[in-house]
C-alpha cells in the first residue's frame, strides 16, 4: 500500500482511539432529578431526567483546538421551581468538568487523558484463551485488532500469511532502540515506559527483526524474572498482534516453563503459531511432543511453521510427517522438502515393500517437491535421484488409479530436461543409473492401456475434473485437439483447455486460438485470465515466424504494458524479415518514443534499430 493509504488508516485509527479515550459519562442526583453529562469526541450533551436540554455538536475534530465547551439549560422541579444548570467541560491533558446548579458547584473533577494504546480495546490473549476454555479449540480466527488493520485498501489475510509476505528488514538501529525502550520498561514499569515500548512495537512487523531481537536481547545484562514479568504484562494487555508476537519472542528468550500451557494455547491460532513455538522450543523443556500435538491441530500457515520446528524424534512423528505432514489448507508443496528430510523418505523407500499409506504420502511429497517448473524444490533435495528411483519402483505394485499415475507423468516431465540440466543434476544429487531406472519403470507402467482409457472417459464426460486427465493425455500425446475446441465452446473461460491446446505447439492450433481472441474489441482493461491467454499465445507464436501478426499488432496497440512487452519479445525472437511491415514499424516507433516503461522502450528501440 502507498503512503497515502497508510496515512489514512493511521489517521482513522488515531481518531477512533481518541474517541474512545474522551468518551466519558457522568450522572448526578440533584433533589430527585437525574442530571447526565455525556462527553464524546464530536459532541457533548446535557440531559435532565432523560431529556436533552443542551448539546454541542462539533463539525470537525480540529474544533478541539478550543478545548473547553459550555453547556447550559434549565429544568423545572415538581413544585414549579426552575433550576439553571451550567456545565464546563474540556481540556488537553486532563478532561476537566465542572457542573453547577443555580450557581452551586455539585461536581468538579479532572480525569487525566493518557491515550494509552492498549486502553479501551479488547485484549487479544484473553480473547483467545476464552475461546479455548469454552470450546477446546479456536473457532473464530478473527482477531480483535482486525478493526485497525482491515479496510478497503488492506484486505483480510489468512492467519499467518502477512508474515510470509514480509521481505524487507527494519530500518537500521530500529531493533536497538526498541530493545532499549523495553529494558527501560523492565527497570521502571509505568504507563509511560510501557506506552513507549508498545508504540514502538506497532511501527514494524516483528518478523522483520525476529533474529536480530533474539541476538541483541541475549547480550543485555538483565534480571530475567523482571524481563519476563514485563513480557507477560505486554502479552496480557496487547490489543495489537505485533505486541503479542514481541512478547512471545522475549518470553522464548527466558525460562518460561511456568507459562508452557498458555504458550501451547496461543500456538493454536495460526497468526501466532510460529512465535509461540519458538517460545516453547527455546524456553521450555521437552517441547517436541507439545509441538507435535500443535502440528496435528493446525491446518494452514501454522502447520507449515510447526513442521519447521518439529523434530522427527520418534517413529510415530516420522510416519506422520511422511503421510500427513504435507497436507494443509495453503499449498501442500510448502512443507514437502522438510517432510522428506525429517521423515527420512529416502531410507523408508529403500525398504523392499512399503504400505499403501506410505506410498500415497510419498506421492504427495514428490508432487510438492516437483512444484512449478521454475520453483522446483526437488533439485535442492540431496536424495532426489534415490527417492524417485525407489518411488517408481514401488509404483509397480501400488499405482492403481489415474490420480496415482498422474504423479508418474509429472516425474516424466521432470526427467525430460536438457542434457545441460542433467549434467548439473549429476553433479549434485543424481546418478546415471537412477535416471535410467526411473525412465524405464515409468515406461513399463505406462504400457497399461487402462490409463489412456480412463483419461479419455473423463475428458469425454461433462462433469468431472479434467486436470489430471488432460496431463495424462498430453503425456501420451493423444490427439484431443478437436475435443478440447468443442469443450471450449461450452466453457470459454476454462484455462485448462486453453493451456492444453497451447501445449500441443501445433501451428494450426495456435492460429485457431489466436482467431478465437477476436471477440475482444481491444486488449485494454482485459481480465487477468484473458491477459494470461494473450501472453501464452504470444509466447507460442515465437516458434511460428510471420504467424498471427495482426494479433501481435493488436497487443502492441493495446496500451497494456504486459501485452506490449510480450508482443515485442515475440517479434524479437523471430527473423525481422518475417514481420517487418510499415504498420508494425510505425506502432513500435510510437511505443519507443512515448512509453514511460524503460524496459519496453529499450526493447522497442532494439527492434527498429
Amino acid at each position: 500500500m502507498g503512503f497515502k493509504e497508510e496515512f489514512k488508516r493511521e489517521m482513522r485509527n488515531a481518531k477512533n482511539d481518541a474517541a474512545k479515550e474522551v468518551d466519558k459519562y457522568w450522572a448526578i442526583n440533584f433533589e430527585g432529578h437525574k442530571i447526565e453529562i455525556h462527553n464524546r469526541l464530536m459532541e457533548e450533551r446535557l440531559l435532565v431526567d432523560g431529556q436533552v436540554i443542551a448539546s454541542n455538536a462539533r463539525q470537525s475534530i480540529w474544533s478541539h483546538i478550543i478545548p473547553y465547551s459550555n453547556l447550559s439549560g434549565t429544568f423545572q422541579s415538581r413544585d414549579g421551581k426552575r433550576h439553571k444548570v451550567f456545565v464546563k467541560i474540556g481540556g488537553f491533558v486532563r478532561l476537566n468538568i465542572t457542573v453547577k446548579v443555580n450557581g452551586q458547584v455539585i461536581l468538579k473533577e479532572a480525569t487525566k487523558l493518557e491515550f494509552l494504546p492498549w486502553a479501551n480495546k479488547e485484549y487479544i490473549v484473553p480473547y483467545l484463551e476464552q475461546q479455548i476454555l469454552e470450546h477446546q479449540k479456536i473457532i473464530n480466527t478473527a482477531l480483535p485488532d482486525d478493526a485497525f488493520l482491515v479496510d478497503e485498501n488492506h484486505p483480510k489475510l489468512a492467519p499467518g500469511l502477512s508474515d510470509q509476505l514480509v521481505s524487507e528488514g527494519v530500518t537500521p538501529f530500529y531493533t536497538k532502540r526498541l530493545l532499549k525502550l523495553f529494558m527501560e520498561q523492565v527497570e521502571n514499569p509505568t504507563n509511560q515506559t510501557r506506552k513507549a515500548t508498545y508504540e514502538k512495537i506497532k511501527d514494524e512487523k516483528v518478523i522483520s527483526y525476529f533474529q536480530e531481537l533474539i541476538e541483541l536481547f541475549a547480550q543485555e545484562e538483565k534480571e530475567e524474572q523482571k524481563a519476563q514479568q514485563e513480557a507477560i504484562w505486554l502479552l496480557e494487555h496487547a490489543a495489537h498482534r505485533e505486541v503479542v508476537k514481541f512478547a512471545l519472542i522475549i518470553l522464548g528468550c527466558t525460562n518460561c516453563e511456568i507459562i508452557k500451557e498458555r504458550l501451547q494455547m496461543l500456538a493454536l491460532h495460526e497468526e501466532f503459531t510460529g512465535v509461540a513455538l519458538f517460545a516453547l522450543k527455546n524456553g521450555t523443556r521437552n517441547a517436541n511432543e507439545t509441538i507435535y500435538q500443535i502440528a496435528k491441530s493446525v491446518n494452514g500457515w501454522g502447520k507449515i511453521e510447526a513442521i519447521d520446528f518439529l523434530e522427527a524424534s520418534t517413529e510415530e512423528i516420522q510416519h506422520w510427517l511422511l503421510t500427513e505432514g504435507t497436507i494443509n489448507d495453503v499449498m501442500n508443496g510448502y512443507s514437502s522438502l522438510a517432510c522428506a528430510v525429517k521423515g527420512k523418505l529416502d531410507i523408508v523407500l529403500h525398504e523392499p515393500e512399503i504400505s499403501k499409506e506410505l506410498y500415497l504420502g510419498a506421492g504427495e511429497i514428490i508432487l510438492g517437491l516437483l512444484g512449478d517448473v521454475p520453483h522446483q524444490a526437488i533439485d535442492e533435495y540431496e536424495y532426489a535421484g534415490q527417492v524417485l528411483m525407489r518411488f517408481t519402483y514401488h509404483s509397480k505394485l501400488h499405482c492403481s488409479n489415474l490420480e496415482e499415475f498422474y504423479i508418474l507423468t509429472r516425474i516424466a516431465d521432470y526427467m525430460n530436461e536438457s542434457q545441460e540440466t542433467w549434467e548439473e543434476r549429476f553433479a549434485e544429487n543424481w546418478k546415471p543409473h537412477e535416471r535410467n531406472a526411473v525412465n524405464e519403470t515409468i515406461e513399463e507402467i505406462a504400457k497399461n492401456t487402462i490409463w489412456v482409457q480412463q483419461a479419455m472417459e473423463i475428458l469425454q464426460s461433462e462433469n468431472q475434473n479434467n486436470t489430471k486427465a488432460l496431463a495424462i493425455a498430453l503425456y501420451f500425446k493423444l490427439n484431443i485437439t478437436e475435443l478440447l475446441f468443442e469443450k471450449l465452446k461450452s466453457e470459454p473461460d476454462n484455462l485448462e483447455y486453453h493451456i492444453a491446446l497451447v501445449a500441443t505447439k501445433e501451428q494450426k492450433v495456435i492460429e485457431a486460438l489466436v482467431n478465437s481472441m477476436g471477440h475482444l474489441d481491444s486488449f485494454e482493461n482485459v481480465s487477468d485470465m484473458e491477459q494470461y491467454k494473450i501472453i501464452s499465445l504470444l509466447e507460442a507464436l515465437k516458434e511460428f515466424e510471420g504467424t498471427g501478426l495482426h494479433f501481435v499488432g493488436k497487443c502492441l496497440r493495446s496500451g497494456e504494458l504486459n501485452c506490449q512487452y510480450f508482443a515485442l519479445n515475440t517479434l524479437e525472437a523471430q527473423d525481422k524479415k518475417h514481420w517487418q511491415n510499415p504498420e508494425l514499424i510505425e506502432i513500435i516507433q510510437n511505443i519507443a518514443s512515448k512509453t514511460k516503461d524503460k524496459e519496453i522502450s529499450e526493447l522497442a528501440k532494439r527492434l527498429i534499430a
Side-chain angles (χ1 to χ4, degrees):
M1 282 302 123
F3 172 78
K4 184 177 178 181
E5 288 78 14
E6 288 292 343
F7 180 74
K8 283 173 64 177
R9 181 170 68 168
E10 289 304 315
M11 286 300 295
R12 179 200 69 188
N13 290 339
K15 181 179 176 181
N16 291 340
D17 286 350
K20 291 176 182 177
E21 180 67 19
V22 302
D23 193 326
K24 305 294 182 185
Y25 171 80
W26 297 267
I28 313 159
N29 189 288
F30 176 80
E31 296 182 1
H33 297 278
K34 185 179 182 181
I35 299 174
E36 300 171 272
I37 304 97
H38 201 162
N39 183 77
R40 294 191 177 98
L41 184 66
M42 302 300 290
E43 183 185 29
E44 298 90 20
R45 300 171 72 193
L46 170 62
L47 301 87
V48 177
D49 298 331
Q51 299 296 314
V52 177
I53 65 170
S55 66
N56 176 39
R58 298 177 183 271
Q59 298 300 312
S60 163
I61 61 171
W62 305 114
S63 63
H64 282 274
I65 197 166
I66 303 172
Y68 284 93
S69 178
N70 296 324
L71 300 170
S72 63
T74 61
F75 67 95
Q76 188 173 343
S77 60
R78 293 183 183 87
D79 60 6
K81 185 178 179 181
R82 298 188 68 81
H83 303 279
K84 185 174 182 181
V85 184
F86 173 81
V87 177
K88 183 177 183 180
I89 187 170
F92 285 126
V93 179
R94 292 178 179 274
L95 186 62
N96 299 281
I97 182 169
T98 301
V99 181
K100 296 180 181 179
V101 179
N102 302 327
Q104 178 185 351
V105 175
I106 62 170
L107 174 69
K108 186 173 185 177
E109 65 176 44
T111 305
K112 187 176 181 181
L113 297 175
E114 296 188 279
F115 297 100
L116 300 172
W118 58 84
N120 306 304
K121 301 179 180 73
E122 185 169 12
Y123 299 148
I124 291 174
V125 171
Y127 164 81
L128 293 177
E129 290 176 335
Q130 185 62 32
Q131 277 195 56
I132 295 170
L133 182 65
E134 292 179 5
H135 307 283
Q136 289 72 57
K137 62 180 180 180
I138 300 290
I139 60 166
N140 182 7
T141 60
L143 291 172
D145 68 340
D146 282 346
F148 318 137
L149 301 175
V150 178
D151 58 29
E152 66 276 9
N153 297 309
H154 304 81
K156 184 174 172 60
L157 301 176
L161 174 57
S162 63
D163 282 349
Q164 306 297 323
L165 302 177
V166 174
S167 58
E168 297 181 359
V170 292
T171 54
F173 307 112
Y174 169 85
T175 313
K176 283 187 177 181
R177 287 194 290 267
L178 171 58
L179 188 55
K180 181 181 178 182
L181 291 173
F182 177 67
M183 296 313 298
E184 289 172 358
Q185 172 187 335
V186 170
E187 292 303 316
N188 182 28
T190 65
N191 274 347
Q192 291 311 305
T193 57
R194 287 166 172 167
K195 179 181 178 181
T197 305
Y198 195 111
E199 293 283 12
K200 192 70 174 175
I201 295 169
K202 285 172 55 188
D203 286 347
E204 298 283 356
K205 298 281 289 181
V206 171
I207 193 68
S208 61
Y209 59 88
F210 186 112
Q211 290 299 330
E212 185 183 10
L213 178 62
I214 295 168
E215 293 166 9
L216 291 175
F217 186 73
Q219 298 168 16
E220 287 286 337
E221 293 184 8
K222 56 190 174 289
E223 287 186 46
E224 182 174 294
Q225 187 177 5
K226 289 172 68 175
Q228 187 178 95
Q229 285 174 350
E230 284 309 298
I232 291 174
W233 187 94
L234 286 171
L235 192 71
E236 293 175 341
H237 292 78
H240 299 79
R241 64 192 66 186
E242 296 306 313
V243 180
V244 174
K245 294 173 187 178
F246 175 88
L248 288 171
I249 293 173
I250 296 295
L251 288 168
C253 295
T254 69
N255 180 350
C256 52
E257 191 73 33
I258 58 172
I259 58 166
K260 187 173 185 176
E261 185 175 340
R262 182 175 238 183
L263 297 175
Q264 185 175 351
M265 285 194 292
L266 291 177
L268 295 175
H269 193 290
E270 303 197 44
E271 184 67 31
F272 307 114
T273 303
V275 281
L277 292 185
F278 163 76
L280 279 165
K281 188 163 187 173
N282 206 54
T284 70
R285 298 186 300 273
N286 305 319
N288 200 57
E289 180 60 30
T290 302
I291 293 171
Y292 176 45
Q293 296 305 321
I294 291 166
K296 292 194 296 181
S297 302
V298 288
N299 298 297
W301 290 105
K303 184 172 184 179
I304 294 165
E305 293 271 17
I307 285 171
D308 285 341
F309 282 98
L310 184 62
E311 296 173 8
S313 56
T314 65
E315 289 185 7
E316 179 187 346
I317 296 176
Q318 181 182 339
H319 181 82
W320 180 83
L321 285 167
L322 295 179
T323 56
E324 299 181 53
T326 61
I327 310 300
N328 59 61
D329 296 338
V330 179
M331 188 178 288
N332 292 353
Y334 281 164
S335 294
S336 290
L337 186 58
C339 288
V341 173
K342 293 184 177 187
K344 296 183 172 60
L345 181 61
D346 56 310
I347 294 174
V348 170
L349 291 181
H350 267 284
E351 293 293 325
E353 294 183 5
I354 61 172
S355 67
K356 182 74 171 185
E357 184 186 24
L358 271 171
Y359 174 76
L360 294 175
E364 284 295 330
I365 290 173
I366 288 168
L367 274 180
L369 289 171
L370 290 170
D372 297 324
V373 173
H375 309 290
Q376 289 175 321
I378 196 163
D379 284 327
E380 302 171 24
Y381 183 34
E382 183 180 0
Y383 303 110
Q386 292 181 45
V387 161
L388 291 189
M389 181 181 70
R390 293 301 299 171
F391 178 78
T392 52
Y393 166 81
H394 290 297
S395 295
K396 290 189 283 188
L397 172 64
H398 289 298
C399 184
S400 58
N401 59 49
L402 208 64
E403 289 201 357
E404 292 161 14
F405 183 73
Y406 165 75
I407 299 173
L408 297 182
T409 67
R410 289 292 311 279
I411 295 171
D413 287 341
Y414 170 77
M415 303 300 290
N416 189 27
E417 286 288 350
S418 66
Q419 189 57 36
E420 182 182 358
T421 299
W422 275 102
E423 290 302 326
E424 293 174 5
R425 289 174 180 170
F426 288 144
E428 295 291 333
N429 52 9
W430 277 84
K431 294 182 174 61
H433 78 273
E434 294 168 344
R435 179 190 183 188
N436 294 335
V438 171
N439 285 328
E440 290 169 5
T441 305
I442 293 175
E443 288 172 9
E444 178 185 341
I445 296 171
K447 289 177 182 177
N448 191 334
T449 58
I450 194 172
W451 312 125
V452 172
Q453 179 186 335
Q454 290 181 357
M456 290 306 296
E457 285 175 0
I458 291 173
L459 289 172
Q460 289 166 350
S461 69
E462 293 183 0
N463 300 318
Q464 296 194 52
N465 188 316
N466 297 299
T467 304
K468 293 175 182 177
L470 277 172
I472 290 165
L474 291 173
Y475 169 77
F476 284 108
K477 297 181 172 60
L478 302 180
N479 186 2
I480 56 171
T481 303
E482 189 175 331
L483 175 62
L484 291 179
F485 273 116
E486 281 299 313
K487 283 184 167 289
L488 268 178
K489 288 179 184 178
S490 57
E491 299 179 61
D493 293 337
N494 192 311
L495 269 181
E496 290 182 347
Y497 301 150
H498 175 88
I499 293 167
L501 285 166
V502 171
T504 64
K505 297 182 179 179
E506 294 180 13
Q507 184 168 349
K508 289 184 178 179
V509 174
I510 302 303
E511 287 176 343
L513 287 172
V514 165
N515 291 334
S516 74
M517 301 299 289
H519 70 282
L520 295 172
D521 294 333
S522 75
F523 293 158
E524 292 185 21
N525 302 316
V526 293
S527 67
D528 290 345
M529 181 192 67
E530 295 289 4
Q531 191 171 114
Y532 179 88
K533 288 182 179 179
I534 292 166
I535 291 171
S536 68
L537 289 173
L538 288 170
E539 288 291 285
L541 286 172
K542 288 180 179 180
E543 305 296 322
F544 308 109
E545 295 184 322
T547 299
L549 293 183
H550 66 289
F551 177 76
V552 175
K554 195 172 180 180
C555 292
L556 293 173
R557 288 191 296 270
S558 70
E560 288 284 347
L561 294 181
N562 282 333
C563 290
Q564 288 184 337
Y565 175 79
F566 282 98
L568 293 170
N569 251 314
T570 297
L571 296 179
E572 189 177 43
Q574 300 180 6
D575 191 315
K576 201 170 185 176
K577 66 183 180 183
H578 291 290
W579 59 263
Q580 194 173 33
N581 63 62
E583 183 182 356
L584 279 181
I585 293 294
E586 183 180 352
I587 298 170
I588 296 168
Q589 286 174 335
N590 190 48
I591 290 172
S593 62
K594 292 184 178 180
T595 185
K596 295 180 180 180
D597 187 287
K598 184 178 179 181
E599 194 172 5
I600 290 175
S601 176
E602 290 176 353
L603 183 52
K605 288 174 182 176
R606 285 203 303 272
L607 287 172
I608 56 177

